[in-house]
């Protein structure tokens, strides 16, 4: 699919956030919700495969995608449900709020990532927290019975994806109001933890070029941006 061209990025981005100017805390969250909910062209779950081939393309290996937890570069065509293939990881686990794969939070590209099938099933619907045993075949990732810790390179990415979802999905259109909390074992509640850990990860792993490029690619396809990639300081303003 052809991404929409957004030329003059800096000018476009400052206009994009005009309604958020000067705001903090709940007012900022409310303004950002309005901004990132406007002009969205939702993608169907079937179209997510193609979209991820673009948004998560490995710039060094044409035709490949980079997998979230393993960091492995793999042909975009090798997706499916088999061992060694990649599939569509919902970073905000879809059972947390039980929103499924209807066009909505379950197809929101900002939190969907290519992931190794086996590692994706280890993550399952666990909350995020530090600690656990090393995950087989995914160096730098750890997991125990109730939580998952991604590798350092994507800790901030994971945090900003979760916090984007909290701002984007506020209980409209028949979908649940998603919010972070400081717990693990959230089960099917529309919540993901732990907020204190996600905030620390967002600080430690600031947005790099790949994460910014991905935001830009999604803006081209889906029509909205992750504000925390453009303005990481807004994490602390909203969740102080
Ligand atoms: Ca744990
Ligand atoms: Ca990162
Ligand atoms: Ca929310």
């Amino acid at each position: 699919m052809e991404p929409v061209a957004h030329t003059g990025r800096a000018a476009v981005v400052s206009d994009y956030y005009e309604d958020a100017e000067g705001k903090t805390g709940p007012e900022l969250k409310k303004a950002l919700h309005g901004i990132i909910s406007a002009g969205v062209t939702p993608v169907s779950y079937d179209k997510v495969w193609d979209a991820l081939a673009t948004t998560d393309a490995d710039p060094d290996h044409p035709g490949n995608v980079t997998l979230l937890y393993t960091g492995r570069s793999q042909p975009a065509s090798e997706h499916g449900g088999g061992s060694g293939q990649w599939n569509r990881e919902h970073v905000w686990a879809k059972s947390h709020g039980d929103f499924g794969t209807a066009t909505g939070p379950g197809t929101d590209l900002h939190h969907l990532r290519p992931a190794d099938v086996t590692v994706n099933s280890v993550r399952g619907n666990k909350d995020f927290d530090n600690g656990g045993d090393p995950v087989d075949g995914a160096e730098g990732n750890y997991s125990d019975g109730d939580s998952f810790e991604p590798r350092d390179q994507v800790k901030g990415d994971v945090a900003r994806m979760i916090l984007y979802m909290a701002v984007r999905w506020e209980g409209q259109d028949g979908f649940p109001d998603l919010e972070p909390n400081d717990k693990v074992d959230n089960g099917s509640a529309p919540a993901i933890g732990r907020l204190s850990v996600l905030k620390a990860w967002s600080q430690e792993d600031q947005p790099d070029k790949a994460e910014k490029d991905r935001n830009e690619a999604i803006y081209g396809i889906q029509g909205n941006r992750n504000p925390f990639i453009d303005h990481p300081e807004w994490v602390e303003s909203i969740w102080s």
Side-chain angles (χ1 to χ4, degrees):
M1 74 185 56
E2 277 294 303
V4 179
H6 288 276
T7 51
R9 180 177 183 275
V12 169
V13 171
S14 80
D15 287 354
Y16 187 77
Y17 293 115
E18 203 174 357
D19 287 349
E21 239 168 69
K23 294 183 174 143
T24 58
E27 289 217 315
L28 174 59
K29 183 170 181 252
K30 193 173 174 209
L32 291 177
H33 169 73
I35 291 166
I36 66 177
S37 303
V40 175
T41 305
V43 176
S44 73
Y45 200 48
D46 270 354
K47 296 282 184 203
V48 165
W49 296 116
D50 281 348
L52 293 183
T54 300
T55 60
D56 292 75
D58 175 356
D60 298 326
H61 297 93
N64 278 20
V65 291
T66 305
L67 309 195
L68 179 62
Y69 302 124
T70 56
R72 188 170 79 230
S73 178
Q74 180 165 9
S77 57
E78 291 179 5
H79 65 74
S83 174
Q85 293 185 310
W86 68 269
N87 62 6
R88 297 164 292 189
E89 154 74 334
H90 290 79
V91 174
W92 185 293
K94 58 187 187 295
S95 62
H96 292 230
D98 197 23
F99 48 74
T101 55
T103 303
T107 68
D108 190 326
L109 295 173
H110 281 292
H111 82 118
L112 291 170
R113 289 292 194 107
D116 176 86
V117 166
T118 306
V119 176
N120 194 349
S121 76
V122 172
R123 191 276 158 127
N125 63 358
K126 289 168 188 160
D127 292 85
F128 293 105
D129 193 5
N130 289 309
D133 297 321
V135 176
D136 264 355
E139 199 182 342
N141 297 261
Y142 299 86
S143 190
D144 62 15
D146 60 20
S147 62
F148 191 89
E149 175 185 346
R151 63 195 171 106
D152 289 349
Q153 295 90 331
V154 299
K155 279 185 164 75
D157 309 50
V158 164
R160 287 181 282 276
M161 288 189 267
I162 294 297
L163 299 175
Y164 159 88
M165 291 295 278
V167 173
R168 172 68 181 91
W169 299 101
E170 297 283 49
Q172 283 98 356
D173 305 323
F175 293 110
D177 178 8
L178 307 179
E179 289 298 317
N181 64 18
D182 210 37
K183 302 195 293 192
V184 292
D185 255 340
N186 273 300
S188 61
I192 283 201
R194 296 178 52 215
L195 178 58
S196 58
V197 173
L198 295 169
K199 284 171 62 182
W201 290 354
S202 175
Q203 278 289 334
E204 290 158 15
D205 174 36
Q206 294 283 319
D208 63 5
K209 183 175 186 302
E211 191 180 353
K212 290 176 187 172
D213 286 349
R214 183 173 201 272
N215 200 22
E216 212 61 47
I218 295 174
Y219 189 37
I221 296 169
Q222 188 172 282
N224 67 349
R225 309 184 67 87
N226 181 334
F228 303 114
I229 297 172
D230 292 322
H231 288 277
E233 74 278 11
W234 284 345
V235 170
E236 195 57 39
S237 178
I238 294 174
W239 290 281
S240 53

